[in-house]
Amino acid sequence: MERFDMQLMGIALAVLFLATLGLMHWRDRNALRAERGKLFDACLALFEQHRLTQDAVAWPALAGRYGGHEVHIEPLVDDVAFRKVPSLWLLVTVKRTLPMPGAIDLLARAQNTEFYSPADGLPVRVTTPHAWPRPITIKADRPAAELPLAVLDPHVKRFFADPRAKEMLVTRHGVRMVYQAHAADRGDYLVLRRAVFREARLPAALVKSVLDQAMHVCTDMMKGGVHGQA
């Protein structure tokens, strides 16, 4: 009987231990979700309307209207490159129908690990204009003579002058800019190989700046201009 009681006690302790672990895991997940959910708190007033979506403990994405146009902002963690501190990229998209015959993608400091970029699917490699910041890789679906390089010239020079600017994509559906919002904590990554972004928040000035630049590209594309080399 005593042995049976000991077995029951052991089972009860095991169940209690597993329940405690489950509770801790649930608590930690909720805390992580809540912390990541604050990413856009400081910039929501910028938008005429907005909707936040967040799956489980993922970073939230924002869809809304800015300057009268539909926009989408998606945070994305890039921890693919080995021995490189992970980045939290912002994929900032202004959705607007543009008089653009195809697609052109400009990618800074290409590492061939940019899984979020459509560059690999574009067949034409375009020579980077001499006056543009380097290194920028240009891919498109048509020759340079058919691309609005002259229209894009001032926007490329301004956006990629910032070392945190990563990509500019222009298609008939609008403009997307990719920008580094945060770098992961170096200590956590080097020791534990974890991508930890402590108290990550998006300053309103940063979000406004990237959105405005994308909007200006759209505006100049709508006005049209001389196509060809910048």
Side-chain angles (χ1 to χ4, degrees), residues 55-99:
D55 295 329
V57 296
W59 294 92
L62 183 147
R65 290 188 67 80
Y66 179 83
H69 296 285
E70 184 180 354
V71 299
H72 186 266
I73 304 178
E74 178 184 1
L76 184 147
V77 175
D78 179 4
D79 56 1
V80 173
F82 185 63
R83 295 185 182 277
K84 183 179 180 182
V85 174
S87 291
L88 181 65
W89 298 112
L90 281 189
L91 279 62
V92 179
T93 304
V94 174
K95 298 180 180 181
R96 188 171 177 183
T97 301
L98 301 177

Side-chain angles (χ1 to χ4, degrees), residues 24-182:
M24 292 173 60
H25 177 68
W26 176 81
R27 182 192 63 194
D28 290 345
R29 280 177 60 87
N30 281 354
L32 180 60
R33 175 184 170 84
E35 176 62 25
R36 289 182 172 178
K38 299 175 183 176
L39 182 68
F40 289 100
D41 282 2
C43 59
L44 294 180
L46 294 173
F47 301 94
E48 296 149 24
Q49 60 186 56
H50 69 271
R51 180 171 61 90
L52 293 174
T53 57
Q54 185 178 13
D55 295 329
V57 296
W59 294 92
L62 183 147
R65 290 188 67 80
Y66 179 83
H69 296 285
E70 184 180 354
V71 299
H72 186 266
I73 304 178
E74 178 184 1
L76 184 147
V77 175
D78 179 4
D79 56 1
V80 173
F82 185 63
R83 295 185 182 277
K84 183 179 180 182
V85 174
S87 291
L88 181 65
W89 298 112
L90 281 189
L91 279 62
V92 179
T93 304
V94 174
K95 298 180 180 181
R96 188 171 177 183
T97 301
L98 301 177
M100 174 76 179
I104 178 172
D105 183 81
L106 301 95
L107 184 65
R109 305 171 301 280
Q111 302 290 321
N112 295 320
T113 59
E114 290 87 2
F115 58 90
Y116 48 83
S117 172
D120 284 346
L122 296 172
V124 180
R125 175 72 179 265
V126 178
T127 300
T128 304
H130 179 72
W132 284 12
R134 295 170 185 272
I136 293 178
T137 301
I138 305 176
K139 298 291 292 293
D141 60 355
R142 60 202 60 231
E146 300 177 26
L147 298 172
L149 298 184
V151 176
L152 295 177
D153 178 69
H155 305 289
V156 170
K157 290 175 179 176
R158 179 185 176 191
F159 182 60
F160 288 105
D162 187 334
R164 294 165 68 184
K166 182 63 175 176
E167 184 179 36
M168 180 188 296
L169 173 67
V170 183
T171 74
R172 63 175 61 90
H173 304 297
V175 173
R176 188 183 81 181
M177 290 182 163
V178 180
Y179 188 89
Q180 186 191 42
H182 292 280

Side-chain angles (χ1 to χ4, degrees), residues 5-21:
D5 289 342
M6 292 290 291
Q7 289 178 336
L8 285 179
M9 183 177 293
I11 293 172
L13 289 173
V15 170
L16 179 61
F17 177 71
L18 290 175
T20 301
L21 285 181

